[in-house]
């Protein structure tokens, strides 16, 4: 009997793979395409090549069921919007790639789709917008083509990945009722399944991560109806969930009429659910034991024990697969290339390729001696008793500023009404990046590097002064990335050379790896702040990234809890703020764009997270003097759920993403009764469109409907690093023109009132 024909053999499975290219080929090709340097055909060549390299990597390691369809030019949710024909009215004059990228990034006069976090990851997807009574005409050609190419490489190992209908709609913006929209969408799924069956496909993955959310229970009837309908197709269905356990929904989800169910065993407690409720007979269970979201090597001892218990908890006729817990898109391609990392650390890293090896090792029982690498690592990882002691000794007063908002606010900088500022970064031009790269490669001295940075700072301060902004920034030219910059200056963090993962579209990040205790040996931002402040009378903000964002955008160590890591970072930032104050800073901004995204998927865990996350921010900023104005900035999320937490952060001013969500955030803050100052973004910096003054003026006038002008700041939506100077300059000029018009109107009003008009 051949191995494959053995029914006892445990199969391996993946749920998606990195899709940006080992050398960021997709990003490079996209940028060239957008500049008009290459044609669509050349772009697609790169796309196919990257997809195929991913398939080959999985095939060569003998993965049995390989999820295909995660490859994308920009975002998978956008791909499915387009495939289902869910094209909002405003894009309908466009076609093909022009329309695709307009939906992703906006074009002159046509705003992009909204973008938001993918569950609790640092990936952002484009929110499908389904208009009222939409009569979509689906076109699945590109997907069928992708699948047929995959079959050409992988044969029957290729398992198409579909986003499940209920998750798709849960994550969409709907105009009509959920039921009606689902009813309209469902036949298209059946059509697609039919087309895939005709291609000879033998299994379909239906990804329904929304099943792990607290709201799953309310949709139970829909899931049951939808899956009964989809089960009519001849294709075996693999219902895939991840990012948490199924919680209360477990007992009915496992009864849905599917052949295979894929569960995440790395988050939540799936094993306990199975032990408590059992598993229906004749099922295939794909156990996601290889963590798709951590960079750490599998712990053989733990996985071995887990699988032992699992086997005794499931019916004997259950066929078991070993799976990645979720798509591997959340980890980089391979740790093998990270030659610069210390060997003991490299020995316990596992990126996508290593995780494929782990899948094999688990099913082939090759785990003897596997954990020795962990012993070597533990003997090596940095430990610092001072910081451990400081965290252990924290008292309640360390988390609170000395003076309450009402008392401290009058002591802080005085500015005109509707003060103008920016979020921090200014264009990271080729010149800026080249300058940093030359220093990194050792081609220029530190003095030459710093004087170059200072020239960028001085230009940027001059521009802001010249435009007439009220509160300035230095521009963040010394920073590759808002987390990497700080992590590089702390102990306890390691950096990869090639460890890129997709944040959204063509924007990739290289999350640092936290592997030991965190301390701040030297000041991190004081030099650049001082250079900028010396150039102007206007207040310059000291710019820091908050503790929760640094944590959430890194790969954390797993031997201490996340709040301890956050407090260690917070203490380092607190020391930095003291140094900035000593250097004359009147304002500091501590960005927490990632605070919201760290929210656990299940509501019952929110409170615990928000408590320590907000405490970490308060610990970082709590030492600031009353006359120091503390700003924070948040973006890319819906904030309605965390208003209380935002309030408890006790920042004097918050600038917040707003432009892509139709003032929703602002309205929520106003309705909540938020009492401190707010700078809702007046335009979307992620779009290349330059807003005109009328647009910004209209925005400001709408803001004033919600919050009194005394509480409002005026700023873009986020940092300007991804934009070009010839976009930034007119945009800010228009912003200031709009503010002057609105201020003039406000000044005129009391005068009219005095005249009794
Ligand atoms: N200060 C940062 C910047 O302007 C904030 C970036 C962010 O919110 N993602 O670039
Ligand atoms: Zn932002």
């Amino acid at each position: 009997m051949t191995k494959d024909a053995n029914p006892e053999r445990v199969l391996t499975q993946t749920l998606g793979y990195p899709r940006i290219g080992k050398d960021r080929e997709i990003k490079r090709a996209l940028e060239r395409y957008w500049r008009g340097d290459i044609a669509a055909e050349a772009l697609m060549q790169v796309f196919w090549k990257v997809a195929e390299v991913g398939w080959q990597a999985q095939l060569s390691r003998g993965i049995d069921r390989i999820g295909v369809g995660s490859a994308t030019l920009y975002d998978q949710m956008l791909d499915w919007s387009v495939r289902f024909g869910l094209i909002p009215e405003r894009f309908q004059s466009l076609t093909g790639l022009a329309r695709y990228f307009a939906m992703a990034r906006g074009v002159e006069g046509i705003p992009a789709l909204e973008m938001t976090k993918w569950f609790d990851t640092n990936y952002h997807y484009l929110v499908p917008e389904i208009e009222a009574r939409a009569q979509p005409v689906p076109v699945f050609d590109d997907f069928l083509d992708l699948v047929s190419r995959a079959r050409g490489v992988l044969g029957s190992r290729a398992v198409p990945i579909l986003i499940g209908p209920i998750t798709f709609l849960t994550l969409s913006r709907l105009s009509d009722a959920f039921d009606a929209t689902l009813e309209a969408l469902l036949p298209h799924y059946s059509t697609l399944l039919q087309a895939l069956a005709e291609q000879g496909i033998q299994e379909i993955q239906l990804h329904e991560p929304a099943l792990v959310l607290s709201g799953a229970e309310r949709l139970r009837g829909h899931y049951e109806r939808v899956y009964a309908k989809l089960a009519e197709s001849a294709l075996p269905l693999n219902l895939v969930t991840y990012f948490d356990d199924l919680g209360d929904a477990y007992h009915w989800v496992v009864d849905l009429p599917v052949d295979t169910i894929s569960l995440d065993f790395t988050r939540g407690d799936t094993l306990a659910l199975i032990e408590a409720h059992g598993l229906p007979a004749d099922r295939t269970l794909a156990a996601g034991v290889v963590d798709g979201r951590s960079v750490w090597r599998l712990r053989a001892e733990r996985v071995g024990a887990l699988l032992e218990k699992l086997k005794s908890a499931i019916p004997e006729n259950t066929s078991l697969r070993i799976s990645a817990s979720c798509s591997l898109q959340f980890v980089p391609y391979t740790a093998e290339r990270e030659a610069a990392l210390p060997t003991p650390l490299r020995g316990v890293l596992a990126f996508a390729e290593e995780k494929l090896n782990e899948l094999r090792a688990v099913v082939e029982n090759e785990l003897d001696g596997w954990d020795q690498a962990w012993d070597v690592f533990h003997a090596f990882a940095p430990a610092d008793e001072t910081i451990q002691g400081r965290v252990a000794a924290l008292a309640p007063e360390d988390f609170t500023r000395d003076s309450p908002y009402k008392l401290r606010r009058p002591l802080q900088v005085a500015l005109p009404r509707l003060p103008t500022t920016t979020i921090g970064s200014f264009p990271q031009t080729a010149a800026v990046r080249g300058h940093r790269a030359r220093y990194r490669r050792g081609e220029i001295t530190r003095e030459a590097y710093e004087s170059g940075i200072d020239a960028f700072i001085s230009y940027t301060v001059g521009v802001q002064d010249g435009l007439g902004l009220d509160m300035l920034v230095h521009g963040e030219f010394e920073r590759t990335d808002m987390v990497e910059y700080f992590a590089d200056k702390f102990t306890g963090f390691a950096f990869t050379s090639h460890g890129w993962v997709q944040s959204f579209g063509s924007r990739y990040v290289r999350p640092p790896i936290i592997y030991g205790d965190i301390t701040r040996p030297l000041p991190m931002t004081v030099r650049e702040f001082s250079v900028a402040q010396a150039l102007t009378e206007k207040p310059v903000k000291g710019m820091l990234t908050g503790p929760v964002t640094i944590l959430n955008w890194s790969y954390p160590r797993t031997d201490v809890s996340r709040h301890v890591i956050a407090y260690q970072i917070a203490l380092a930032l607190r020391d930095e703020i003291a140094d900035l104050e000593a250097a004359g800073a009147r304002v500091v901004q501590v960005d927490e764009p990632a605070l919201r995204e760290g929210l656990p998927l299940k509501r019952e865990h929110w409170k615990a997270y928000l408590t320590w996350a907000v405490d970490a921010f308060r610990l970082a900023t709590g030492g600031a003097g009353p006359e120091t104005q503390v700003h924070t900035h948040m973006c890319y999320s819906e904030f309605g759920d965390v208003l209380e937490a935002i309030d408890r952060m006790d920042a004097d001013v918050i600038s917040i993403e707003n432009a892509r969500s139709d003032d929703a955030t602002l309205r929520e803050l106003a309705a909540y009764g938020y009492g401190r100052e707010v700078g809702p973004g007046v335009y979307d910096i992620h779009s290349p469109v330059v807003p005109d003054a009328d647009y910004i003026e209209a925005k400001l006038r709408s803001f004033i409907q919600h919050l009194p002008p005394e509480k409002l700041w005026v700023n873009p939506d986020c940092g300007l690093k991804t934009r070009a100077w010839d976009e930034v300059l007119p945009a800010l000029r228009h912003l200031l023109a709009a503010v002057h018009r609105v201020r003039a109107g406000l000044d005129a009003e009391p005068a009219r009132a005095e005249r009794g008009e």
Side-chain angles (χ1 to χ4, degrees):
M1 210 156 72
T2 70
K3 242 189 163 186
D4 269 315
N6 179 352
E8 294 303 306
R9 194 170 94 81
V10 175
L11 301 183
T12 50
Q13 162 182 303
T14 56
L15 306 172
Y17 203 69
R19 69 265 186 111
I20 61 179
K22 276 189 163 178
D23 291 305
R24 293 179 285 157
E25 290 91 331
I26 298 282
K27 177 192 183 73
R28 291 177 212 278
L30 281 172
E31 286 171 352
R32 295 177 65 200
Y33 175 75
W34 291 332
R35 279 199 306 265
D37 294 349
I38 59 168
E41 224 161 283
L43 174 64
M44 292 313 294
Q45 291 297 327
V46 175
F47 173 79
W48 295 122
K49 181 79 199 152
V50 167
E52 180 167 344
V53 167
W55 298 330
Q56 291 290 1
Q58 299 174 80
L59 180 65
S60 69
R61 288 171 179 81
I63 304 301
D64 302 291
R65 296 287 178 269
I66 298 173
V68 303
S70 54
T72 182
L73 278 176
Y74 204 92
D75 168 52
Q76 247 175 297
M77 288 293 277
L78 173 62
D79 295 345
W80 285 108
S81 290
V82 172
R83 287 168 191 152
F84 286 122
L86 299 166
I87 315 292
E89 182 72 35
R90 63 184 185 280
F91 302 106
Q92 277 171 11
S93 60
L94 300 166
T95 55
L97 281 182
R99 185 178 67 188
Y100 181 85
F101 290 125
M103 290 171 76
R105 314 166 69 221
V107 287
E108 192 66 48
I110 312 182
L113 296 184
E114 193 179 330
M115 182 155 59
T116 198
K117 302 278 179 190
W118 179 248
F119 294 85
D120 59 348
T121 72
N122 180 29
Y123 176 70
H124 311 72
Y125 72 96
L126 288 156
V127 180
E129 268 173 49
I130 310 184
E131 292 178 331
R133 289 169 299 282
Q135 297 280 338
V137 183
V139 183
F140 297 123
D141 296 359
D142 79 298
F143 187 69
L144 295 172
D145 185 25
L146 181 71
V147 170
S148 105
R149 287 175 191 247
R151 276 176 55 78
V153 176
L154 305 173
S156 62
R157 292 169 193 256
V159 180
I161 298 170
L162 272 55
I163 182 81
I166 302 197
T167 295
F168 184 76
L169 294 188
T170 301
L171 301 181
S172 296
R173 242 215 259 173
L174 309 184
S175 307
D176 292 333
F178 192 92
D179 307 33
T181 315
L182 181 58
E183 225 43 64
L185 188 63
L186 203 50
H188 303 317
Y189 272 90
S190 302
T191 310
L192 177 56
L193 291 189
Q194 181 60 30
L196 289 166
E198 280 161 18
Q199 277 201 7
I201 284 297
Q202 283 159 35
E203 179 177 313
I204 296 289
Q205 288 179 10
L206 280 151
H207 287 208
E208 291 279 17
L211 276 169
V212 309
L213 302 176
S214 309
E217 198 62 32
R218 272 182 291 121
L219 297 170
R220 173 175 178 176
H222 290 305
Y223 280 107
E224 289 174 346
R225 205 162 35 82
V226 162
Y227 280 85
K229 179 80 197 143
L230 297 179
E232 288 169 12
S233 133
L235 278 173
L237 304 182
N238 180 351
L239 178 66
V240 180
T241 73
Y242 37 75
F243 299 154
D244 205 340
D245 62 41
L246 286 167
D248 295 340
Y250 175 84
H251 68 99
W252 58 264
V253 173
V254 291
D255 278 332
L256 293 172
V258 295
D259 301 81
T260 301
I261 178 150
S262 298
L263 302 176
D264 188 339
F265 284 76
T266 66
R267 289 170 179 244
D269 197 349
T270 296
L271 177 65
L273 290 168
I274 296 179
E275 287 178 332
H277 302 280
L279 186 77
D282 304 315
R283 226 15 97 79
T284 297
L285 172 67
V289 296
V290 170
D291 189 349
R293 289 180 58 183
S294 101
V295 288
W296 300 110
R297 178 184 174 89
L298 180 116
R299 308 265 190 162
E301 201 184 319
R302 289 189 204 163
V303 169
L306 173 87
L307 291 175
E308 277 310 304
K309 287 190 198 150
L310 178 62
K311 280 175 193 154
S312 59
I314 56 181
E316 234 175 293
N317 65 356
T318 305
S319 89
L320 193 64
R321 288 184 192 171
I322 297 299
S323 179
S325 65
C326 60
S327 168
L328 297 178
Q329 78 177 78
F330 308 105
V331 292
Y333 277 90
T334 175
E336 204 156 286
R337 288 168 93 183
E338 304 300 337
L341 291 179
T343 315
L345 174 58
R346 196 145 59 97
V348 291
L349 291 179
F351 300 171
E353 289 182 11
E354 290 77 25
K355 288 184 190 287
L356 297 176
N357 297 339
E358 292 182 345
L359 291 169
R360 282 286 289 205
V362 173
V363 299
E364 303 289 348
N365 277 319
E366 285 164 357
L367 295 178
D368 283 352
W370 185 269
D371 287 341
Q372 270 162 26
W374 279 111
D375 300 335
V376 174
F377 170 73
H378 287 310
F380 153 84
D384 184 292
E385 276 167 25
T386 311
I387 185 69
Q388 290 173 7
R390 271 181 88 184
V391 169
L394 288 173
E397 59 269 24
D398 295 321
F399 295 88
T400 306
R401 291 181 72 183
D402 286 341
S403 167
Y405 176 70
K406 281 220 162 54
L407 296 184
R408 69 187 188 241
R409 181 60 185 92
L411 308 177
Q412 299 170 4
V413 281
L415 297 173
R417 263 200 290 194
L418 299 173
T420 53
T421 191
T422 62
I423 306 303
S425 57
F426 268 81
Q428 292 263 334
T429 57
V432 171
R433 289 195 305 267
H435 184 66
R436 277 199 312 262
R438 277 190 292 282
Y439 179 54
R440 202 174 50 239
R441 289 194 300 260
E443 292 165 19
I444 52 175
T445 63
R446 185 186 178 111
E447 288 69 37
Y449 170 70
E450 289 181 349
S451 81
I453 290 293
D454 296 353
F456 293 123
I457 293 176
S458 128
Y459 174 75
T460 305
V461 169
V463 163
Q464 296 170 87
D465 246 337
L467 285 167
L469 284 149
D470 300 304
M471 187 174 281
L472 312 193
V473 297
H474 75 281
E476 303 182 17
F477 301 106
E478 73 287 9
R479 306 184 188 179
T480 43
D481 168 283
M482 65 186 293
V483 169
E484 186 176 63
Y485 178 75
F486 290 95
D488 186 36
K489 305 210 175 289
F490 291 138
T491 63
F493 280 81
F495 293 88
T496 62
S497 311
H498 305 277
W500 298 96
V501 292
Q502 191 181 23
S503 169
F504 65 87
S506 60
R507 193 163 149 67
Y508 309 159
V509 292
R510 228 174 353 176
I513 297 168
I514 302 175
Y515 72 105
D517 285 333
I518 297 160
T519 60
R520 179 198 77 138
L522 291 168
M524 307 178 287
T525 62
V526 174
R527 199 195 76 81
E528 290 77 12
F529 162 77
S530 304
V531 168
Q533 187 64 85
L535 292 164
T536 179
E537 296 293 312
K538 304 251 179 86
V540 173
K541 296 190 265 192
M543 299 296 308
L544 304 173
T545 303
V548 184
T549 296
I550 292 179
L551 170 62
N552 283 350
W553 286 356
S554 299
Y555 292 108
R557 62 198 283 199
T558 46
D559 58 338
V560 299
S561 62
R562 288 201 303 154
H563 82 266
V564 171
I565 307 177
Y567 290 176
Q568 290 189 352
I569 302 171
L571 285 168
L573 296 171
R574 186 181 176 105
D575 297 347
E576 183 72 13
I577 291 175
D579 284 343
L580 282 166
E581 287 178 316
R586 285 166 282 171
V587 188
V588 293
Q589 179 174 312
V590 180
D591 295 328
E592 282 291 23
L595 191 132
R596 164 69 174 78
E597 88 187 32
L599 212 53
L601 295 171
K602 293 200 196 326
R603 249 171 206 279
E604 61 259 37
H605 301 144
W606 283 12
K607 203 171 163 230
Y609 165 76
L610 288 172
T611 300
W612 67 252
V614 173
D615 280 351
F617 180 88
R618 292 175 63 113
L619 178 60
T621 54
E627 63 293 333
T628 302
Q629 187 167 68
V630 174
H631 288 226
T632 188
H633 166 70
M634 295 180 137
C635 54
Y636 280 146
S637 286
E638 285 147 23
F639 296 99
D641 291 332
V642 295
L643 293 171
E644 215 183 298
I646 291 178
D647 197 18
R648 206 168 70 79
M649 287 166 78
D650 196 28
D652 299 304
V653 181
I654 178 170
S655 60
I656 197 155
E657 185 267 346
N658 175 71
R660 273 198 185 188
S661 58
D662 204 14
D663 295 351
T665 302
L666 174 61
R667 277 181 275 134
E668 284 160 351
L669 278 168
Y672 176 84
Y674 187 77
R676 291 180 293 279
E677 291 161 47
V678 186
V682 290
Y683 76 94
D684 176 11
I685 60 87
H686 296 99
S687 156
V689 177
V690 173
D692 59 26
D694 290 345
Y695 174 86
I696 296 175
E697 185 185 344
K699 276 273 169 198
L700 294 177
R701 295 202 185 279
S702 85
F703 293 172
I704 293 173
Q705 306 300 310
H706 302 294
L707 282 181
E710 295 67 40
K711 296 278 179 213
L712 283 166
W713 286 64
V714 184
N715 45 257
D717 233 0
C718 194
L720 300 167
K721 62 183 161 230
T722 58
R723 300 268 63 95
W725 278 106
D726 63 359
E727 296 163 333
V728 165
L729 292 173
L732 292 179
R733 222 177 7 249
H734 299 161
L735 181 147
L736 284 151
V739 170
H740 290 138
R741 287 188 215 158
V742 177
R743 276 184 195 158
L746 292 173
D747 292 343
E749 270 163 32
R752 267 205 306 277
E754 276 158 35
R755 287 200 306 270
E757 284 174 22

